[in-house]
Structures are given as structure tokens and as C-alpha cells.
């Protein structure tokens, strides 16, 4: 089994990500788990910290998440050698932490005959994720959940066949991954592209809310058109100047508009395909 984590200037979050992955890996012992971090065009200490955290590190310069994920999978299959084609590949992001049972759930779905698993996310409480912003995101994110009788909240779901695809919470058998050609060299949407090809070629895909991951709710992300852009569109007003930011402006406050309840862009204006 392998976990692949693309990272661009994530020195502030990679350690927490790897800690959570080590806990999840311990839950599937004695099944061996290889963790590969792809440090893509990093100018900080991401690669050093990832190696210190026990990951195999691949360094790329493309600033392209599709290429980074593909490079990580290639390295993982090399490390797994003859067992590679029969392996399970789990994907997450460097700004994300996974629950202890994350890999256990994926292994169970694979044992049921699924070729891929598409999981869900929750916004991690950060400086950018104030209550209003998180509520707006969740209103759109969970709007299809009522029809499955699970309610619209962010708690553990039942059989919600959600419409989302996240590289931060994805698993696929190596055989299915190779059959459809792997990740395309896309700067964004590489996860949705892979899922679409798996579905179009008749692979069995499980969409589950049983093992959500927690991902950073920041307004300036690493890939265009991703979660950060969505959250920025839901933010009532731009962040005021002078607020401290991390690499690439990773931490920018979302400040509610004074005196305007629910001011800003409505979640109804945000298409589900962007979530």
C-alpha cells in the first residue's frame, strides 16, 4: 500500500499531515505502507521536514499538481517493486490530516471489490475558517445529503452518494490507475479527470462520507480553481492589508462584512463541480 502526498511550500503543515498518516498506517499493520511526498517547486523546508517525518521524498520543479501526483505514484510503484501492480494507492494533500481509520476504510472498500474510493473533506478550523465561511461552504457541500436521509450537517454520514472528488481524499487500485493512464499533467482538476476516466471505463467507484479528512481552509491555494478559490468566492470581503501570511499567502483572514448578515456571494452561485 502507498500514500502519495504532493506538496508545494508546505513546511508549516507537512509534519501534521505525516503524523496523521503514520497513525492511519499503524491501523492496517502488518500491511506495509509506503509514504511518498512530492516536493514540487518548493523553496522552503518541505522536503527536509518530509524526510525527517519518515517519508520518501521526490523533488519536482513543474509546479503542476497532476505531474506531481503522477511522479509520486511512479516512485511508490518502484518502491513496492513486484507488488506494485497489486497495490492500493491512497492520495491526500500536504495541508490535510487524515483520521486514524482512513486507510482501514479504503482497504475495506477494496476488499469489497471497489477499484477506487472517493471520500469527503471537512474544513479544518484555522484563522481563515471563521464560522460564517464554514457554514457557507457546508451549505453548498452537503446540499445533496438530505435526499439520502442523513441530514445536511457535517457529522458522520450514512450512505450519502456524494458528488465530490478530492485529491485530498482519494484511493485507487494500482491496476485500475495504470489501466486508465494515471494522472494527467493538469494544473488543476487532475483528481476529477482521473475519477471521470475510471467511471467511464466501468471501474467500480465507492463514494463515501465515512472517512472525511480535515483540510486547511485558506483563501490562497496552490492550484487554480481549487478549494481556496471557492472559499475566497464565499468570503464576504477581501482580507484587509497587513494580515500576516505564510508562503504564497497561505493564511489570509476572511472578515465578515460589518452589519451585513450573510453578506457576500451566495453558495447557490457556486456550482457543485467546483466543490
Amino acid at each position: 500500500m502507498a500514500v502519495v502526498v504532493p506538496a508545494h511550500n508546505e513546511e508549516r503543515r507537512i509534519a501534521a499531515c505525516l503524523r496523521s498518516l503514520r497513525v492511519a498506517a499503524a491501523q492496517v499493520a502488518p500491511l506495509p505502507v509506503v509514504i511518498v511526498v512530492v516536493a514540487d517547486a518548493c523553496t522552503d523546508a518541505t522536503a527536509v521536514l518530509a524526510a525527517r517525518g519518515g517519508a520518501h521524498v521526490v523533488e519536482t520543479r513543474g509546479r503542476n499538481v497532476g505531474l506531481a501526483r503522477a511522479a509520486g505514484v511512479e516512485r511508490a510503484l518502484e518502491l513496492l517493486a513486484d507488488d506494485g501492480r497489486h497495490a492500493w494507492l491512497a492520495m491526500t494533500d500536504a495541508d490535510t490530516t487524515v483520521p486514524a481509520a482512513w486507510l482501514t476504510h479504503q482497504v475495506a472498500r477494496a476488499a469489497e471489490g471497489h477499484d477506487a474510493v472517493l471520500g469527503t473533506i471537512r474544513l479544518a478550523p484555522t484563522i481563515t475558517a471563521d464560522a460564517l465561511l464554514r457554514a457557507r461552504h457546508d451549505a453548498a457541500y452537503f446540499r445533496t445529503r438530505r435526499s439520502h436521509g442523513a441530514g445536511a450537517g457535517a457529522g458522520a454520514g450514512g450512505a450519502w452518494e456524494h458528488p465530490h472528488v478530492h485529491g485530498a481524499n482519494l484511493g485507487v487500485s494500482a491496476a485500475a490507475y495504470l489501466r486508465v493512464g494515471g494522472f494527467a499533467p493538469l494544473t488543476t482538476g487532475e483528481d476529477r479527470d482521473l475519477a471521470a476516466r475510471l467511471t467511464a471505463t466501468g471501474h467500480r467507484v465507492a463514494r463515501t462520507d465515512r472517512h472525511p479528512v480535515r483540510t486547511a481552509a485558506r483563501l490562497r491555494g496552490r492550484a487554480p480553481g481549487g478549494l481556496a478559490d471557492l472559499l475566497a468566492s464565499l468570503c464576504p470581503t477581501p482580507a484587509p492589508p497587513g494580515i500576516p501570511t505564510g508562503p504564497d499567502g497561505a493564511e489570509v483572514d476572511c472578515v465578515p462584512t460589518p452589519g451585513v448578515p450573510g453578506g457576500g456571494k451566495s453558495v447557490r452561485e457556486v456550482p457543485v463541480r467546483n466543490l
Side-chain angles (χ1 to χ4, degrees):
M1 189 172 197
V3 182
V4 175
V5 186
H8 171 68
N9 288 347
E10 294 286 7
E11 65 180 7
R12 299 172 65 188
R13 295 186 172 94
I14 190 64
C17 174
L18 291 175
R19 281 195 299 270
S20 72
L21 289 176
R22 290 195 297 270
V23 171
Q27 304 299 309
V28 296
L31 182 68
V33 179
V34 170
I35 300 174
V36 178
V37 171
V38 184
D40 185 29
C42 291
T43 58
D44 65 358
T46 296
V48 172
L49 294 174
R52 188 179 299 168
H56 299 269
V57 178
V58 176
E59 296 195 48
T60 59
R61 306 302 303 173
R63 190 65 194 274
N64 181 298
V65 68
L67 285 174
R69 289 196 198 276
V73 171
E74 181 178 5
R75 179 60 176 147
L77 294 178
E78 290 174 356
L79 291 168
L80 293 169
D82 293 341
D83 294 328
R85 190 171 181 87
H86 305 290
W88 184 266
L89 306 169
M91 310 290 160
T92 193
D93 290 338
D95 64 349
T96 299
T97 58
V98 306
W102 185 61
L103 292 177
T104 303
H105 281 300
Q106 293 201 24
V107 169
R109 301 292 82 74
E112 293 169 355
H114 289 95
D115 299 297
V117 177
L118 303 180
T120 53
I121 66 168
R122 302 292 187 268
L123 297 183
T126 65
I127 189 172
T128 61
D130 67 6
L132 177 59
L133 178 60
R134 291 166 65 191
R136 287 179 171 183
H137 170 269
D138 290 353
Y141 194 85
F142 295 104
R143 65 186 176 189
T144 64
R145 194 165 171 178
R146 290 186 185 278
S147 62
H148 289 78
W160 180 36
E161 289 285 328
H162 67 84
H164 309 295
V165 180
H166 303 286
N169 193 353
L170 187 154
V172 60
S173 74
Y177 175 89
L178 294 170
R179 277 195 296 269
V180 300
F183 284 110
L186 302 174
T187 57
T188 188
E190 82 296 337
D191 43 8
R192 295 189 296 273
D193 173 73
L194 178 68
R197 282 183 280 124
L198 288 166
T199 301
T201 50
H203 290 87
R204 191 178 176 195
V205 178
R207 292 177 174 269
T208 174
D209 188 43
R210 292 189 61 191
H211 56 280
V213 300
R214 290 199 172 273
T215 194
R218 55 191 178 190
L219 306 184
R220 295 182 186 176
R222 304 308 193 241
L227 177 62
D229 284 355
L230 169 63
L231 293 177
S233 75
L234 299 176
C235 192
T237 61
I243 290 180
T245 62
D248 292 351
E251 297 293 348
V252 181
D253 265 349
C254 177
V255 181
T257 306
V260 184
K265 189 171 183 179
S266 167
V267 293
R268 295 182 184 276
E269 301 175 49
V270 182
V272 170
R273 65 176 178 277
N274 289 336
L275 300 181

